[in-house]
Amino acid sequence: MARLIRDAGRQQGELARLMRDSAQERTQLAEALQGAQHHLARIADSYKLLLVRLKREKDFRDACQEATELEDLDEMIRRRDALVRELESIRRTPREGAGA
C-alpha cells in the first residue's frame, strides 16, 4: 500500500510538472502571437500609408497630364504651382506618418 501511495505521489508530482511546463509554453506562445499581431498591425498601417501615397501620386500625375493638354499658358502655370504644392505635401506625408 505504501508503494502505491509513493507511486501515486510521484505521478502527481510529474503531472504537476507537466502542467507547469504546459502553462509556460502557452504563455510563451501567447506572447509570440501578440508580438506577431503587433508586427502585422504595423505592416498594415504602413501598407495603408503606401496606398494613400500611391493614390495621391497617381492623382498628381493625372493632374499634370491634364495641365500639359491645356492651351492656356496662365492656367497651365496656375495648375503647375498648385501641383508643386501638392507634390511637396505628398513627399512630406510619409515621413510624418512614419515618425508617428
Side-chain angles (χ1 to χ4, degrees), residues 20-67:
R20 281 192 305 273
D21 290 349
S22 177
Q24 286 177 337
E25 288 174 1
R26 285 192 307 272
T27 299
Q28 290 172 348
L29 180 59
E31 290 170 355
L33 289 173
Q34 186 176 22
Q37 182 180 15
H38 288 300
H39 182 68
L40 289 173
R42 283 192 304 272
I43 290 171
D45 289 343
S46 296
Y47 185 69
K48 287 177 193 175
L49 288 173
L50 177 62
L51 289 178
V52 168
R53 182 176 180 186
L54 289 173
K55 170 79 169 85
R56 290 177 72 189
E57 288 181 357
K58 182 189 178 303
D59 292 346
F60 173 79
R61 285 191 307 275
D62 291 346
C64 286
Q65 181 65 35
E66 289 174 14

Side-chain angles (χ1 to χ4, degrees), residues 10-24:
R10 229 183 345 257
Q11 288 175 354
Q12 284 179 333
E14 180 65 18
L15 180 58
R17 187 189 63 77
L18 290 173
M19 291 175 70
R20 281 192 305 273
D21 290 349
S22 177
Q24 286 177 337

Side-chain angles (χ1 to χ4, degrees), residues 69-84:
E69 294 171 358
L70 293 175
E71 293 180 14
D72 181 351
L73 186 58
D74 291 334
E75 179 65 12
M76 286 175 65
I77 291 170
R78 186 191 66 73
R79 286 191 186 191
R80 182 205 62 198
D81 293 344
L83 292 171
V84 165

